[in-house]
Amino acid sequence: MQTILFFVSLITIFEIVKADDPLRPQYHLMPEKNWLNDPNGPVYFNGYYHMFFQYNPNGAVWGDMHWGHCYSKDMVHWIHLPVALAPDQSYDINGIFTGSTTIVNGIPTIIYTGITNTSQQVQCQAQPVDITDPTLTKWKKSPLNPLITAPNGRDPSTAFQDDENNYYLIYGYGTEEEGGQAVLFTSKDFLKWTYLHPLHSNHYDRFWECPDIFGVSNRIVLKASLLGRDFWTLGDIDPAKLIFIPDNHDLGEYIQLIDHGRFYASKTFYDPVNDQQVIMGWTSEEDNLGPKRGWQGCHTLPRAIFLSDDGLQLLSRPIDALKTLRDDQSHQHFHSVVLPPTTPFELIPEVHGNQIEIVINWQFPMHENLDFGLIVLSTPDGSQRTSIGIASRDNTSVMLNWDLPAWDYLSVPSIIEWSECETACNRDTKCQAWTFVKDRQVNNNCFLKSGVPFPSPNSVCVSGVKQQGDDKQILWVYMNRILSQKNPDAAHDIIHAPLWVETTTTNAHWFLQLDIFVDHSIIEVFEPQGGRFALTGHVYPEDGTADNLAVYINEGPADDDDSIVIDTLDIWKLNTIWT
């Protein structure tokens, strides 16, 4: 099978760039202090990107973790290389776990978590045997390993430096009492490390995995994996206390998701060739047949991450180089397609594919109750299909007989009426949405949420979304997997991303572009123009004819004179990433 994604778990990417590429701009993250100099930027090494990943050479099951290795000139087309690191020492004999690469004095230097013969988690170092080898195939472990033995955490991130050339390193840790943490170490020589304290912590989860800290547009971003998801937060580092202080929302609040679907253990790195910060994540399987198929999880597509114009949101979109995967001869284009008001299921004629990219531009009326979308991986009769849809409601401040299930962080006491629950949300800076359950007892009936879940009809509930102004309305972009597969042990739930859109005067319609990548069992959905969300999910259609595309309208415009329109629809088959 040709695939555009990796069947492996992401560990690290670092850039090796040409000598004539521009230097990375310096980030001024605090007054008169360039605190977060990423060492990767100004290092040049023959124009190759290298990626490492957790890998079990003995089967698609957990255990005996090595570091696989591949490299690329464009982050899109990859070449396999031999295993870089194997568990062969007492300090890593039970597994080579997650780590990162930092360029130290011109040498790519890995720090990884080793699992010792006593199952302790320790931090170890490795460097290339021959830095003149552009493939960096062979690696040697430091004779000083393990370099860090406590606290008992894992997943060291790329290191950074201050103005006095001190290195700083974080990795994941946490306890039931102290909550999840990114612990901070410092070193002068990258060998002898001194533990300082937690850089940041909270109690949303008891342990953080894969923390990462980096600069984007002169701001500091901290991300970590917790609660089974990847979260981000913007903030500053106190130069005296050396602690991270979030601006507003913190890690673990669902308004701050990097991807709203199956996305975890991500890593970021600076790409100086294209002057962009790039993130890739690991998306694990969502059924029980991984060992039979021969892989367990894969990498997501590389995404450029950047800030919104107001500097308050972390955004992402697929890197431009992914367009080189398109098979131009397969390109199909449609425009100005007006959907009939009653369209439960309509095939798009002569369009097939299970390894494709779809760019669709929707036009639909504002302030309506709508539910419509595009269907992928469908059988001709639609009995097996996956819907990528858009849902909107005319009024989301109060939705009678609707639930917003999950993402609760607080049950507000002493609430008698739903209006009191709405007031409690509006007064809480963390709250994004609320649900009042009419048949629950007082003190267990008003639930505040740190994100905006997907609405579900429920006669005993009243829900609402905290409004962001008269000129904005929330939509939900979703992936409906109820009919995606027959296997009862595969995921069938609806996953979604909330999206705020601004009212315009253009024809009383909204315009929304979606960029959809379908790779057999992986679907990644983006809003590429603004980069406002990413949504990744797995589906496993058993029917061999499930490669059709279709459109549908579950709930259309109230006015018969109004329509949902596909302004443009472009579809390409995608070539393989492997060279």
Side-chain angles (χ1 to χ4, degrees), residues 375-427:
I375 292 170
V376 299
L377 298 177
S378 176
T379 54
D381 62 357
S383 60
Q384 194 161 64
R385 65 181 187 265
T386 299
S387 301
I388 300 169
I390 299 168
S392 67
R393 300 204 62 77
D394 179 30
N395 178 21
T396 58
S397 59
V398 177
M399 298 185 291
L400 301 174
N401 301 318
W402 286 85
D403 187 11
L404 291 173
W407 296 1
D408 302 339
Y409 68 89
L410 181 64
S411 176
V412 184
S414 304
I415 297 294
I416 305 299
E417 301 289 342
W418 64 257
S419 58
E420 297 174 333
C421 192
E422 179 186 29
T423 300
C425 179
N426 289 335
R427 289 176 176 172

Side-chain angles (χ1 to χ4, degrees), residues 229 267 276 416-417:
R229 315 292 286 270
K267 285 288 183 182
Q276 61 186 354
I416 305 299
E417 301 289 342

Side-chain angles (χ1 to χ4, degrees), residues 70-269:
C70 54
Y71 77 125
S72 169
K73 284 192 173 184
D74 60 2
M75 263 188 296
V76 176
H77 301 90
W78 295 87
I79 297 173
H80 281 294
L81 290 170
V83 166
L85 297 173
D88 55 10
Q89 302 295 321
S90 61
Y91 52 77
D92 63 15
I93 194 65
N94 281 321
I96 309 285
F97 279 21
T98 299
S100 298
T101 303
T102 302
I103 310 301
V104 181
N105 298 323
I107 300 174
T109 303
I110 290 170
I111 291 189
Y112 68 92
T113 299
I115 310 300
T116 72
N117 52 2
T118 60
S119 298
Q120 185 79 3
Q121 299 175 117
V122 296
Q123 317 312 317
C124 310
Q125 186 181 116
Q127 291 185 328
V129 171
D130 180 7
I131 61 172
T132 67
D133 173 12
T135 67
L136 300 177
T137 298
K138 296 182 179 180
W139 292 75
K140 58 185 177 183
K141 299 175 184 177
S142 171
L144 300 179
N145 284 342
L147 303 182
I148 302 172
T149 59
N152 187 25
R154 57 183 176 268
D155 311 338
S157 183
T158 302
F160 51 93
Q161 288 179 286
D162 62 15
D163 287 342
E164 298 175 353
N165 296 320
N166 296 302
Y167 288 104
Y168 294 89
L169 179 75
I170 63 171
Y171 63 77
Y173 180 63
T175 66
E176 191 76 46
E177 297 78 19
E178 298 171 340
Q181 300 179 0
V183 290
L184 181 65
F185 290 77
T186 188
S187 174
K188 282 286 189 182
D189 60 3
F190 221 77
L191 290 170
K192 299 175 183 177
W193 291 92
T194 300
Y195 174 64
L196 297 178
H197 48 252
L199 177 73
H200 187 53
S201 64
N202 64 35
H203 284 84
Y204 284 110
D205 206 345
R206 64 180 183 177
F207 199 99
W208 290 356
E209 295 185 295
C210 298
D212 199 356
I213 186 168
F214 52 93
V216 176
S217 299
N218 299 331
R219 298 303 312 279
I220 297 178
V221 183
L222 179 67
K223 64 128 310 225
S225 303
L226 59 151
L227 300 173
R229 315 292 286 270
D230 268 26
F231 297 86
W232 63 270
T233 182
L234 293 170
D236 293 296
I237 295 177
D238 185 306
K241 297 180 180 179
L242 296 185
I243 59 172
F244 178 85
I245 303 172
D247 282 349
N248 190 2
H249 298 281
D250 203 354
L251 301 175
E253 298 178 25
Y254 285 90
I255 191 176
Q256 307 270 100
L257 285 170
I258 293 175
D259 185 299
H260 291 262
R262 194 76 158 192
F263 184 93
Y264 196 73
S266 61
K267 285 288 183 182
T268 73
F269 73 104

